[in-house]
Amino acid sequence: MSEGTGAGATLWMPEQISSGAVEADFAWNVVLWVATVLFALVMGAMIYLVWRYRRRPGHGPASAAEAPDHSGKVELLWTAAPTLIVIVLFFVGFRGFLGLSVAPAEAAEINVTAERWLWTFSYPEGMTSVNELRVPVGKPVKLVMSSKDVIHSFFVPELRVKRDVLPGRYTTVWFEPTKTGEWDLLCTEYCGTGHSAMLAKLVVQEPKAYDEWLQSGGQEEGVPAAEQGKRLFSKMACNTCHTIDGAASTGPTLKGLFGHEVKLANGERVEADENYLRESITNPAGKVVQGYQPVMPVFKGLLNQAQLDALIAYVKSLSGEGGEGGKKGEGQ
């Protein structure tokens, strides 16, 4: 969904899809209108005084000694008024901060792991998804987040939720979605060359559909394995580092890979068969292709057997009949 559409959307804000978004927007509007009114008062007074007391012949004090002195009342007013405004704004913002920091006791916990350049979500039921956060509508969800490498930042504008994800410690945030649909989930802390591609999806479902998804393990019935692998390839941001058209990138191209010989960094040559593909996904540092760095994330434990099979089927399809072909020596 695009910003500026849906319930609660304004010129400044995208639609509201969480219970906390209303309070966040209230705080924003308070600050906006206070700042607007003060700007108008200050600029209006300045323009008036510049005009009213402009230098003119026959006007003004004859000497500096006759100029008016300062006013204690005015100084007290312009000190006290901003102080009171700041105190009010502090409590408006602090109330919202506490509301986002303290999750309801019944909130479902989902563990979030960030790494360059993907998001992993682990559910209490044992399900794991990559670059796709699914939650039920109308139920509070608490995210317990950590990073494997550098600082990332979890941000869904429509939720009005943004929180840094740090290596070596946990940060938490919670929200209660109020409508179903799909929205972009972004990393808003620069984390390297793949930062702009570190995208995921927030999918809010009806509770029944959400439970069915958990039970299915994320697989779609009736969809060919290669097609599911193609979708996973995009969903898990594999296309950030690997191309399918032979072009150079951070990682080797997958065009024409399967069934061809691959030269490794240690000089060894191996055939890119199913076992090689599986190891390259679950333990990418085990066999590094010559000319490339071992920077690929480890997907062991993040993908179930069906997902691994689907990805391998997709890579095989890139070299099979009707595929794009390839030349010997290019590899994973």
Side-chain angles (χ1 to χ4, degrees), residues 47-320:
I47 293 171
Y48 169 74
L49 293 174
V50 167
W51 175 83
R52 176 70 176 79
Y53 295 103
R54 66 191 185 280
R55 184 183 294 275
R56 291 172 292 169
H59 292 76
S63 65
E66 298 179 13
D69 198 358
H70 71 280
S71 170
K73 292 181 179 179
V74 172
E75 290 186 358
L76 179 62
L77 177 63
W78 73 39
T79 300
T83 301
L84 291 174
I85 292 172
V86 169
I87 291 174
V88 171
L89 293 181
F90 169 80
F91 280 105
V92 170
F94 190 62
R95 184 181 65 177
F97 172 78
L98 288 180
L100 284 176
S101 300
V102 182
E106 69 276 14
E109 285 194 9
I110 298 176
N111 288 324
V112 181
T113 303
E115 60 183 300
R116 295 181 293 188
W117 289 279
L118 57 85
W119 299 92
T120 303
F121 306 97
S122 301
Y123 300 80
E125 296 81 2
M127 175 67 179
T128 298
S129 63
V130 179
N131 284 342
E132 184 179 81
L133 172 60
R134 295 206 180 206
V135 296
V137 68
K139 295 186 178 181
V141 176
K142 178 182 178 182
L143 303 180
V144 181
M145 305 183 290
S146 63
S147 168
K148 284 187 177 181
D149 38 48
V150 298
I151 299 176
H152 300 276
S153 188
F154 177 98
F155 182 42
V156 179
E158 292 80 4
L159 288 176
R160 309 298 192 267
V161 167
K162 180 181 182 296
R163 190 61 55 90
D164 283 351
V165 185
L166 310 174
R169 61 175 296 181
Y170 292 106
T171 55
T172 62
V173 72
W174 78 276
F175 58 89
E176 182 180 336
T178 56
K179 64 181 300 185
T180 59
E182 295 186 12
W183 294 270
D184 290 331
L185 191 164
L186 314 170
C187 174
T188 50
E189 187 75 36
Y190 182 71
C191 52
T193 56
H195 167 69
S196 60
M198 191 171 171
L199 304 173
K201 282 290 182 184
L202 169 68
V203 180
V204 183
Q205 300 178 290
E206 293 293 344
K208 181 180 178 181
Y210 174 73
D211 291 338
E212 290 175 351
W213 174 77
L214 286 176
Q215 294 171 9
S216 71
Q219 300 304 300
E220 301 175 75
E221 293 185 9
V223 179
E227 178 61 26
Q228 292 199 39
K230 183 178 180 179
R231 297 177 186 179
L232 279 172
F233 186 79
S234 176
K235 183 187 298 182
M236 297 189 300
C238 303
N239 50 8
T240 302
C241 298
H242 297 283
T243 68
I244 60 172
D245 60 1
S249 187
T250 305
T253 183
L254 302 183
K255 178 183 178 181
L257 168 63
F258 182 76
H260 288 71
E261 190 178 75
V262 177
K263 187 175 182 180
L264 305 181
N266 61 7
E268 183 183 355
R269 292 181 179 273
V270 298
E271 182 183 350
D273 57 11
E274 290 88 349
N275 288 321
Y276 170 80
L277 294 179
R278 180 187 177 91
E279 183 178 0
S280 295
I281 296 171
T282 59
N283 181 29
K287 289 184 173 68
V288 180
V289 176
Q290 189 175 74
Y292 295 92
Q293 298 298 315
V295 295
M296 180 173 166
V298 177
F299 287 91
K300 184 176 182 179
L302 303 182
L303 302 172
N304 57 37
Q305 186 59 51
Q307 291 171 320
L308 279 172
D309 292 343
L311 280 172
I312 292 172
Y314 174 58
V315 176
K316 290 170 68 174
S317 74
L318 300 176
S319 301

